[in-house]
């Protein structure tokens, strides 16, 4: 297991993170949730940047706060609120990375920066949001890490740039034993990349499911009050009152297509499932 977070708790005033999560080797795990749901706190706990109030955390077999420099070199990270000095150039950043990481591939990194049209001699304060996002991801990939922890790595990127970054992540996973934990507000990115998805809401995990199961089996049921009263609710996960009656999230879409032909049954993706679980009444 690359990452284990068990009964982790961290409080900030009225907000409390209370959750468990794991990441296996050879898998890409996605984390989705609204701003303020606890994603960044969870990532910082895994990197040893936040001390938990209680619970257990293991990253690459060690506690983050006691990891050696060599162990930390096995982790590549992108955090939404961290970056190098904006007065440094890409070449200067590469020099710092070369001193910090023994496995840093400086020629390969600089070559990829040029491929992604990042000027090597310009201060990063002159970079656009998208250029800074590309730089962060390329840095995380540059030192042969076994684990990537990526908080909103494609934020600010256009469709073409996002696709290029996602291809880089797929290429990274061609080496056995690696893993990626990634968050994003762009569900289509995660649907095409991740093996499984955790959904977090108000500091708690409200769903953990394989991505292909969500896309193939989950659905949204829409019906009148009379149809809802007569509905077999065995496979309903949550229900939401609507102007026309009720909508329900189910993990067995085909069951209702076959056994309740009078109601509307729509296919469901990550966004729809998140909206229902966060805003509906869970069964």
């Amino acid at each position: 297991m690359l990452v284990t977070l068990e009964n982790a708790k961290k409080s900030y005033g009225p907000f409390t993170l209370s959750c468990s999560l794991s990441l296996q080797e050879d898998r890409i795990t996605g984390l989705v949730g609204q701003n303020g749901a606890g994603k960044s706190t969870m990532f910082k706990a895994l990197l040893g940047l936040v001390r938990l109030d209680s619970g257990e955390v293991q990253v690459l077999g060690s506690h983050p706060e006691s990891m050696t420099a060599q162990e930390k070199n096995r982790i590549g990270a992108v955090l939404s609120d961290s970056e190098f000095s904006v007065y440094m150039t890409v070449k200067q950043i590469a020099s710092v990375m070369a001193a910090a990481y023994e496995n840093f591939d400086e020629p390969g990194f600089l070559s990829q920066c040029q491929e992604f049209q990042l000027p090597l001699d310009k201060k990063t304060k002159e970079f656009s949001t998208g250029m800074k996002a590309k730089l962060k991801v390329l840095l995380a990939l540059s030192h042969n890490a076994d684990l990537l922890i990526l908080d909103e790595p494609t934020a600010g990127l256009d469709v073409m740039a996002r696709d290029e970054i996602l291809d880089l992540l797929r290429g990274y996973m061609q080496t056995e034993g690696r893993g990626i934990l990634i968050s994003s507000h762009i569900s289509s990115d995660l649907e095409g990349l991740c093996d499984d998805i955790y959904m977090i809401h108000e500091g708690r995990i409200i769903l953990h499911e394989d991505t292909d199961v969500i896309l193939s089996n989950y659905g949204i049921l829409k019906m009148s009050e009379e149809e809802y009263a007569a509905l077999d609710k065995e496979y309903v996960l949550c229900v939401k009152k609507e102007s026309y009656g009720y909508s329900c999230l189910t993990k067995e879409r085909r069951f209702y297509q076959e056994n309740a032909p009078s109601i509307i049954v729509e296919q469901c993706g990550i966004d729809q499932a998140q909206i229902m679980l966060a805003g509906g009444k869970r069964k």
Side-chain angles (χ1 to χ4, degrees):
M1 197 73 69
L2 295 174
V3 169
T4 302
L5 200 63
E6 187 173 352
N7 298 321
K9 291 189 178 181
K10 179 66 179 179
S11 295
Y12 293 103
F15 173 81
T16 298
L17 175 73
S18 178
C19 62
S20 298
L21 174 147
S22 64
L23 169 63
Q24 300 177 24
E25 293 182 353
D26 304 311
R27 288 178 72 85
I28 303 177
T29 293
L31 180 64
V32 299
Q34 298 168 295
N35 290 334
K39 302 188 299 297
S40 294
T41 300
M42 188 183 297
F43 283 138
K44 289 179 179 179
L46 293 173
L47 293 170
L49 301 175
V50 164
R51 184 186 294 271
L52 295 175
D53 298 332
S54 62
E56 294 295 327
V57 55
Q58 293 279 323
V59 179
L60 301 175
S62 300
H63 191 283
E65 294 179 2
S66 62
M67 293 180 83
T68 65
Q70 190 171 17
E71 288 174 320
K72 291 179 179 179
N73 284 352
R74 297 175 59 198
I75 303 172
V78 170
L79 296 179
S80 57
D81 58 356
S82 66
E83 60 184 69
F84 278 91
S85 168
V86 296
Y87 296 100
M88 296 178 69
T89 67
V90 170
K91 283 184 177 179
Q92 289 171 331
I93 291 172
S95 296
V96 173
M97 292 289 291
Y101 294 92
E102 60 183 31
N103 293 327
F104 178 64
D105 179 9
E106 186 169 359
F109 167 70
L110 294 175
S111 176
Q112 283 195 318
C113 285
Q114 290 180 308
E115 183 180 338
F116 279 83
Q117 300 180 321
L118 300 179
L120 304 185
D121 296 305
K122 183 180 289 187
K123 293 179 180 179
T124 59
K125 70 175 183 177
E126 301 176 47
F127 281 17
S128 67
T129 300
M131 292 167 71
K132 290 178 181 178
K134 290 180 188 179
L135 179 59
K136 285 184 179 183
V137 173
L138 293 176
L139 285 167
L141 291 168
S142 66
H143 53 92
N144 198 33
D146 296 317
L147 168 66
L148 297 183
I149 296 177
L150 310 175
D151 188 9
E152 298 286 344
T154 58
L157 297 178
D158 59 34
V159 173
M160 295 297 294
R162 291 203 328 266
D163 190 58
E164 290 173 329
I165 292 297
L166 296 176
D167 278 344
L168 280 176
L169 298 181
R170 294 185 185 99
Y172 164 86
M173 289 298 295
Q174 294 302 307
T175 299
E176 291 185 3
R178 290 176 167 178
I180 301 174
L181 179 62
I182 180 172
S183 73
S184 178
H185 287 298
I186 306 169
S187 63
S188 59
D189 287 353
L190 299 185
E191 288 172 354
L193 181 71
C194 295
D195 297 291
D196 62 314
I197 298 290
Y198 282 87
M199 291 186 185
I200 185 170
H201 179 63
E202 296 180 345
R204 288 164 173 74
I205 300 298
I206 56 175
L207 181 71
H208 177 219
E209 188 68 270
D210 283 352
T211 310
D212 59 357
V213 172
I214 295 175
L215 299 179
S216 63
N217 294 359
Y218 279 54
I220 305 293
L221 315 177
K222 296 182 177 181
M223 69 209 81
S224 66
E225 294 193 18
E226 293 77 13
E227 290 169 326
Y228 177 74
L231 184 72
D232 182 342
K233 302 177 182 62
E234 180 178 0
Y235 302 113
V236 169
L237 297 178
C238 67
V239 58
K240 189 177 181 183
K241 186 71 175 72
E242 308 282 5
S243 59
Y244 54 79
Y246 290 93
S247 61
C248 302
L249 176 68
T250 178
K251 57 181 178 180
E252 295 291 346
R253 187 177 74 246
R254 291 180 181 82
F255 172 84
Y256 291 102
Q257 287 173 328
E258 295 171 0
N259 294 283
S262 65
I263 67 173
I264 297 172
V265 182
E266 297 180 347
Q267 193 167 0
C268 177
I270 291 173
D271 280 347
Q272 294 89 343
Q274 182 183 348
I275 290 169
M276 286 295 299
L277 286 167
K281 182 179 179 181
R282 290 191 284 278
K283 302 295 287 184

